[in-house]
Amino acid sequence: MRNFGKQSTVAVAGKYLALGFYVAFALFPLYWLAKIAVTPDKLIFTDGTALVPSSFTFENFRTVLLHTDFLAYFRNSLVVSLGTAAITTCIAAAAGYAFSRFDFRGKRLIIAAMLITQMFPLLMIIAPIYKIVAAVGLLNSLTSLIIVYTAFNIPFATFLMQSFFDGIPKDLEEAGMIDGCTRFQALRKIILPLTLPGLAATLGFIFTAAWSELLFALMLINSNDTMTFPVGLLTFVSKFSVDWGQMMAAGVLALVPSCLFFIFIQRYLVQGLTSGAVKG
Amino acid sequence: MARIELQNITKAYGSVEVMRDIDLTIEDGEFLVLVGPSGCGKSTLLRMIAGLEPITGGEFLINGERMNEVPPRDRDMAMVFQSYALYPHMDVARNMGFSLEIRKSGSEERDRKVGEAAKTLGLTALTKRLPKALSGGQRQRVAMGRAIVRDPSAFLFDEPLSNLDAALRVEMRLEIARMHQRLAATMIYVTHDQVEALTLADRIVVLNAGKIQQVGTPLDLYESPANKFVAQFIGSPTMNILSVEQNSNGIQLKDGTVLQMAGTPDKDSVSELGVRPEHLNIVSPEKAHLSGVAELVEHLGSDTNIHAKVPGVGQVLVRQHGHYPLKAGEPVDIALDLDKTHLFDQKGRRLAA
Ligand SMILES: Nc1ncnc2c1ncn2[C@@H]1O[C@H](COP(=O)(O)OP(=O)(O)OP(=O)(O)O)[C@@H](O)[C@H]1O
Ligand SMILES: [Mg+2]
């Protein structure tokens, strides 16, 4: 046992070293983002690649919040991302449950069709989508973005939800139905609580995907009122002749909702709720 | 209380028919055990009774009323799953009381019933735990408790003990037997363990390949199996089956030995003879029907199993009570207890002696 303990100290140290290296690697761009955001404009180029800026300022944040349309972009993005995440997750949960639990005619066909939609590069369908959206008069509206994002994300979200439902033994809802539940009650009282981690994961995934989507937002939106955040960021390039400091400050602010969102759902993500359901 | 009738039940998955001609009446308060090899349709039959699996054809009656299309919740049956199927997000007490919660019974009544069941099953100290913090045996008890609390008219068990170790299995078997005595409810119990079947059952149903082979009391099945399948399935170790033919002298074994049996069937359809290991005896050479060599001798303490090779006849297993001093390689002379042999025709049907 003692021998084992010694060996594992080295192993643990190695593991943390590897993890630390990975985290540093992954977070460095974010650090750089934050660094530029707090560096006074006149120092950006003189400081160069120094790891720590020689002086700090929150001027960039103040300007972004008070003197640009940032807050409007932010609100638009929030509406689009939350809307997309909520609608997609609801539809995907229902579809995933059906795929996981029922056998029906055309099931394989629908699954195949959904897989095929995932094979095309998005660029290919930008023009048709633009035409459709224009034809129904939804250009420059957040609704159009929500609809388009939802459509794109449903297949993946459905497969994700299906795999979560597949992970819940069928016995559980059958036991529920024998105990007196209707199928819907069994779904609500037994399956749903166990799927919360899956729902949270799906919500988080779709939210971030929608939050950072640029291509369609750029195509379908060109009025300043309905710009989402990624499109809005580009205005820093044109309007202020690449104002790095403000752009980075806006970027830092844009990270906030994603972070909050994941802090909120992470306890569901790590909950191994299904353990102990069946024999073990 | 429930009298359950299955009339001509069939079950098909798509075009594959997995069960046919199931005719069975389960009397009120009876303990009926379904046995059979893996894949024979035991679980499917139980699930059709529970309402979890649609019935393809035939009539399913509870107390004389057709129930084919009635959903599980209205059949008043409790089921214990092989996997236990405890709700992982509910503590033990809520797991046991869930059926009452769904039926909107008062929380006082619920607490009382759950408390009683927990006490009977020795779970009182665990009522606040989640299933994941329980041992396999404790989970099994909770699953039983969940069934008891409901006070249903019938209990269904699908191999409830197969995930337990041997000692715990014996203990829970007794627990279930006691439970049946106390509650006097109809119980249908699926197992592939014939010891469970023989010890618990009022009647046993032997299934094979989706068909009922025989229905009877444990003793019926042991003493007068309807066919070779039942004869070999019930009883441990397995019955010896020897090829024979019938001629004017009587029943002749493949090595030429003629057995003089009273009341041999007069049809010359006899094809095989079955005799249980415990109905073979090691005797002196002049009294023997079969002579061979012991290939393997298993000393079990209470019994000795002797695997003998008899030239011209084949492998024969003899079971002697107690310790029998014999070593592998030694010659053995074996006599059949002729009153306890069974004759089978070419199709494996037993011929009445
Ligand atoms: N969903 C299904 N689709 C097609 N065939 C099925 C399905 N479920 C079961 N079967 C078939 O029905 C037959 C009976 O299965 P069942 O589960 O009732 O066997 P069992 O007697 O309970 O076996 P075991 O002892 O292994 O549990 C098997 O041959 C099985 O392959
Ligand atoms: Mg089974």
Side-chain angles (χ1 to χ4, degrees), chain A residues 182-249:
Chain A
T182 60
R183 181 172 275 280
F184 185 71
Q185 275 178 317
L187 176 64
R188 196 164 55 85
K189 299 209 168 215
I190 296 163
I191 304 302
L192 195 66
L194 298 174
T195 330
L196 283 183
L199 287 173
T202 310
L203 270 177
F205 181 87
I206 305 302
F207 180 86
T208 22
W211 184 259
S212 54
E213 207 285 336
L214 172 64
L215 200 53
F216 281 90
L218 205 55
M219 289 305 298
L220 301 177
I221 307 286
N222 49 34
S223 97
N224 208 43
D225 295 345
T226 49
M227 268 184 200
T228 57
F229 180 74
V231 184
L233 259 194
L234 290 180
T235 60
F236 287 93
V237 178
S238 46
K239 281 189 189 161
F240 308 92
S241 66
V242 194
D243 195 325
W244 291 112
Q246 288 178 15
M247 198 170 174
M248 296 301 143

Side-chain angles (χ1 to χ4, degrees), chain B residues 198-230:
Chain B
L198 293 168
T199 52
L200 288 171
D202 291 325
R203 278 192 308 155
I204 297 178
V205 177
V206 182
L207 283 168
N208 186 31
K211 282 188 110 162
I212 292 184
Q213 302 295 310
Q214 188 172 5
V215 184
T217 64
L219 206 60
D220 281 344
L221 300 192
Y222 180 82
E223 287 184 342
S224 22
N227 55 38
K228 199 170 99 184
F229 178 83
V230 177

